[in-house]
Amino acid sequence: MAREIKELLGRIEQDKVLMASFEKSVLSGGPVNITGLCEQQKGYLIAALAYKFGKKPVVIVSDVTRAKALSGGIAPFAGKDIPVLKPAELSLVSAVASSHENESERAGVISKLLRADFDAAMICAPALLNKMPPAANVEKKFIKLSLGKNYDPVKLVSDLSERGYERVGMVSGQGEFSARGDVIDVFPPDMDQPLRISFFDDEIDQLKTFNPDDQRSIEGMKKAVICPAYIYTYDEAERGRYADAMLHAAAPDINKMNASSNRTTAELLERYTRADAEAVRQGMRISALGRWIGVINGDPRSVLGYVDRNKMILFVDEFSEARSRMDGYTADFAARIKSAFEYGQAPSCSIESLFKAPDAMKALDKFGGAVTLACLKTASSGLPGGETVDCKGMSEENWIGRDDALINYIKNGAGASSTDITFMITGASRVDSFRNRMLEGGVDINVIPAALPAGFEYPAAGLILIGEQEIFGSEKKHVQKKSGGARITFFGDVAPGDYVVHDVHGIGLYEGIVNLKMGKSSQDYLKINYAKNAVIYLPVDKIDKLSKYVGPGGKSPKLSSLDSKEWKKNVE
């Protein structure tokens, strides 16, 4: 971390009221509710408090979009490695082929949490409802390799398969592995590049990362740790027990359906149950994971059990919004289960795949030392029993094309010398041009070469930070007809709460998968919200009509209106 950034983070100590409350409450295990913030100030506050106490920040946010926006404000102060734990998709649909990208990505984030291997981490609030195995059980699944040590390559292939890795001809994505002679390639979901392990008999002869595009080696390694590619794995000794438990759990529903002359539905549920149970018995991964987590996970834990209080500080951004997202995730899953149950696609015990929202809130209360952040102080903006601290902040003024006014502000308006105002901007040529203009006006500015998206004033800490938006403006969003964001091809490419772009209808907010009855049959659809409370239901086989939304600075976009021709004009 650069000296200038450390000095900035150290300025938090000037806020004596916050520091006194923080040390008194958080370090003794109680929550602190910080209010009065401006949005731009949150990233600094998170990074500064974590730095002050020598810990890493973990932030609970409402959804993926909010995680991306807040990450932009944290990165200049803490670093860019900010993984995001999304909620599990919990599919209730049996599929011959399905994407495992969501669960593989989640496994990578979980690994980083366990090893505290990140600059900051984000947890989407609905992920608090997902039932997880105990952290110790996941750690036992880590494969540890050392150069020159022995590891039977046949066993390694078996171990990778058991930990959820998919065997392919050539590795290209996370969660995949390949085996060719005495070489095994594997792409752990917590690594940026895949790993190549070369053997001489059973001895690890070479251990290095490589570029999956051209297969060229990047960096040699002496040690490597391979995390599971799937959280919900089961050992060979457990498979039969889990399979039997699944059959036992579905039996009451099947019996009741038969007793009420609903035999067709009973036959369907029995068929799906037996197929899933047999897959588990054979050590295969099942696509309809949402049916059985509550059955096969006998000792469920919250993801908070993966957050080490000795190494990390837990923050909750806009507590009321996070709670609202949890309620929505629960309601969506309950509606899907109800529909699936009626058509014999899932047993009633599927509802036990999630923690109840009140239970998740109790786990958060018991965690101890959590810090909530809110712009407005309301009755629901913080954790109960916590001390509330007002930490006033203001967004910075826009100075684009107003050099003379900015020079005046630096000299007089800020009530301080120019060195008390810090510019966090990047781009050598444009920064030099800006600095020269300021020098012509008689001020020598203090610039830190870090890209702060938007600036703020934090009076209690004596801070005035001016970012890229105030000096250079936001990057223009260029809408393209068939591109922009990455094309979505699998469910794992998008999570509830993500903004998406439909080829015809434009920008919408993806809410999740719903099962709708059409006549005598039912089908899964992607639910997408638009302006004016409009909704479209897109058949899952039309998912390639969507692209990920990519906008400036992680800001939430304006939803398109289905009764407007504006989007059509944009793409033409």
Side-chain angles (χ1 to χ4, degrees):
M1 183 183 292
R3 177 185 55 81
E4 298 94 334
I5 296 295
K6 291 180 180 180
E7 290 176 356
L8 278 183
L9 296 177
R11 296 283 286 275
I12 190 79
E13 296 185 37
Q14 293 189 27
D15 190 341
K16 302 297 184 184
V17 175
L18 174 62
M19 285 295 98
S21 297
F22 195 86
E23 291 179 3
K24 174 185 173 183
S25 299
V26 177
L27 298 184
S28 65
V32 169
N33 302 315
I34 303 177
T35 63
L37 301 162
C38 67
E39 282 294 342
Q40 298 84 347
Q41 182 187 6
K42 289 179 179 177
Y44 168 81
L45 197 74
I46 289 167
L49 288 173
Y51 175 74
K52 161 67 179 172
F53 294 98
K55 298 183 180 183
K56 294 190 175 183
V58 177
V59 190
I60 296 172
V61 293
S62 57
D63 52 38
V64 174
T65 301
R66 181 61 194 144
K68 292 176 181 177
L70 189 54
S71 293
I74 294 175
F77 303 105
K80 295 181 180 179
D81 184 10
I82 307 178
V84 179
L85 182 68
K86 301 175 183 177
E89 290 183 340
L90 299 180
S91 173
L92 299 170
V93 180
S94 294
V96 176
S98 60
S99 170
H100 304 310
E101 188 175 337
N102 173 267
E103 280 306 316
S104 180
E105 181 182 337
R106 279 169 47 80
V109 179
I110 287 297
S111 171
K112 284 178 170 286
L113 281 173
L114 282 173
R115 295 183 289 111
D117 182 23
F118 54 83
D119 295 321
M122 301 279 174
I123 298 175
C124 295
L128 297 178
L129 301 172
N130 294 139
K131 291 185 174 180
M132 311 278 289
N137 290 7
V138 176
E139 285 186 288
K140 289 178 184 177
K141 304 286 186 180
F142 282 23
I143 299 173
K144 298 179 181 179
L145 305 176
S146 296
L147 193 65
K149 299 293 184 179
N150 286 3
Y151 201 119
D152 183 353
V154 175
K155 184 179 186 303
L156 180 56
V157 168
S158 174
D159 288 346
L160 290 171
S161 296
E162 192 176 81
R163 285 155 176 77
Y165 284 87
E166 180 183 2
R167 187 166 184 170
V168 295
M170 182 175 291
V171 168
S172 61
Q174 292 177 323
E176 297 177 345
F177 83 97
S178 67
R180 305 180 310 278
D182 59 359
V183 175
I184 296 177
D185 292 342
V186 58
F187 203 154
D190 60 348
M191 291 181 64
D192 295 328
Q193 299 292 346
L195 187 65
R196 176 160 293 159
I197 308 137
S198 301
F199 290 89
F200 182 77
D201 290 332
D202 286 354
E203 182 183 331
I204 298 175
D205 188 46
Q206 292 184 15
L207 196 59
K208 55 191 177 184
T209 56
F210 69 95
N211 186 326
D213 296 326
D214 59 19
Q215 301 294 301
R216 291 183 179 179
S217 298
I218 297 176
E219 181 182 6
M221 305 174 70
K222 292 183 178 180
K223 293 183 178 181
V225 177
I226 301 174
C227 73
Y230 192 52
I231 297 298
Y232 307 100
T233 60
Y234 23 80
D235 297 328
E236 187 173 354
E238 300 171 322
R239 296 172 188 170
R241 178 164 56 88
Y242 287 157
D244 291 342
M246 292 160 66
L247 294 171
H248 179 76
D253 292 333
I254 295 170
N255 293 336
K256 287 180 182 178
M257 290 172 181
N258 280 323
S260 62
S261 299
N262 196 359
R263 292 176 182 174
T264 301
T265 306
E267 288 174 2
L268 282 173
L269 181 56
E270 185 172 12
R271 185 195 311 164
Y272 285 129
T273 300
R274 290 191 178 280
D276 285 349
E278 183 58 27
V280 168
R281 211 181 293 275
Q282 297 298 323
M284 299 168 60
R285 186 188 292 192
I286 54 177
S287 60
L289 178 68
R291 295 171 181 156
W292 308 113
I293 288 178
V295 175
I296 66 175
N297 193 350
D299 186 17
R301 304 294 177 88
S302 164
V303 68
L304 295 179
Y306 294 71
V307 179
D308 186 345
R309 282 191 59 196
N310 294 319
K311 299 178 181 178
M312 307 168 200
I313 294 181
L314 184 68
F315 296 87
V316 185
D317 176 51
E318 300 297 344
F319 180 82
S320 59
E321 291 181 16
R323 175 59 196 265
S324 176
R325 269 294 178 186
M326 292 168 66
D327 291 339
Y329 182 72
T330 301
D332 176 70
F333 187 55
R336 288 166 51 208
I337 290 173
K338 182 177 183 296
S339 177
F341 178 77
E342 290 174 354
Y343 291 94
Q345 294 177 330
S348 59
C349 65
S350 298
I351 196 67
E352 298 301 324
S353 291
L354 289 183
F355 287 116
K356 293 178 174 60
D359 293 336
M361 287 294 99
K362 288 178 183 177
L364 186 57
D365 288 341
K366 291 180 180 178
F367 181 83
V371 183
T372 69
L373 307 173
C375 293
L376 299 175
K377 181 180 179 180
T378 65
S380 60
S381 62
L383 286 166
E387 184 170 349
T388 298
V389 184
D390 188 59
C391 194
K392 186 178 180 182
M394 298 155 285
S395 57
E396 186 51 51
E397 200 171 336
N398 190 328
W399 300 107
I400 300 172
R402 302 174 58 217
D403 285 0
D404 289 342
L406 177 57
I407 290 167
N408 245 359
Y409 175 71
I410 293 172
K411 286 180 175 179
N412 309 307
S417 66
S418 61
T419 53
D420 290 325
I421 301 175
T422 300
F423 294 81
M424 297 184 70
I425 51 181
T426 57
S429 59
R430 65 181 187 176
V431 169
D432 286 345
S433 174
F434 173 65
R435 187 192 295 275
N436 289 334
R437 297 200 307 271
M438 294 296 102
L439 284 172
E440 290 173 3
V443 294
D444 186 8
I445 58 175
N446 179 32
V447 175
I448 294 177
L452 180 65
F456 59 89
E457 295 186 33
Y458 181 2
L463 272 181
I464 299 176
L465 299 182
I466 300 180
E468 307 227 314
Q469 182 173 296
E470 291 81 39
I471 302 303
F472 305 125
S474 301
E475 294 181 9
K476 283 190 175 182
K477 179 179 67 178
H478 296 284
V479 180
Q480 299 177 11
K481 185 170 184 178
K482 290 282 183 177
S483 58
R487 181 66 63 178
I488 297 170
T489 55
F490 298 105
F491 298 138
D493 292 340
V494 62
D498 284 352
Y499 288 97
V500 296
V501 181
H502 188 283
D503 289 343
V504 176
H505 303 301
I507 300 171
L509 181 67
Y510 171 62
E511 286 292 328
I513 299 174
V514 297
N515 190 277
L516 300 179
K517 183 178 179 182
M518 298 293 177
K520 295 183 178 181
S521 64
S522 64
Q523 184 177 342
D524 282 341
Y525 292 83
L526 305 169
K527 181 182 178 183
I528 306 171
N529 292 339
Y530 284 86
K532 302 177 183 177
N533 297 317
V535 177
I536 68 167
Y537 295 94
L538 183 71
V540 292
D541 59 354
K542 302 293 184 183
I543 194 171
D544 60 351
K545 295 288 184 184
L546 301 178
S547 298
K548 289 185 177 181
Y549 171 79
V550 178
K555 290 185 176 180
S556 299
K558 176 183 177 183
L559 297 181
S560 299
S561 175
L562 298 184
D563 59 3
S564 171
K565 296 181 180 180
E566 181 181 353
W567 177 255
K568 185 177 179 182
K569 291 179 182 178
N570 284 336
V571 299
E572 289 179 345

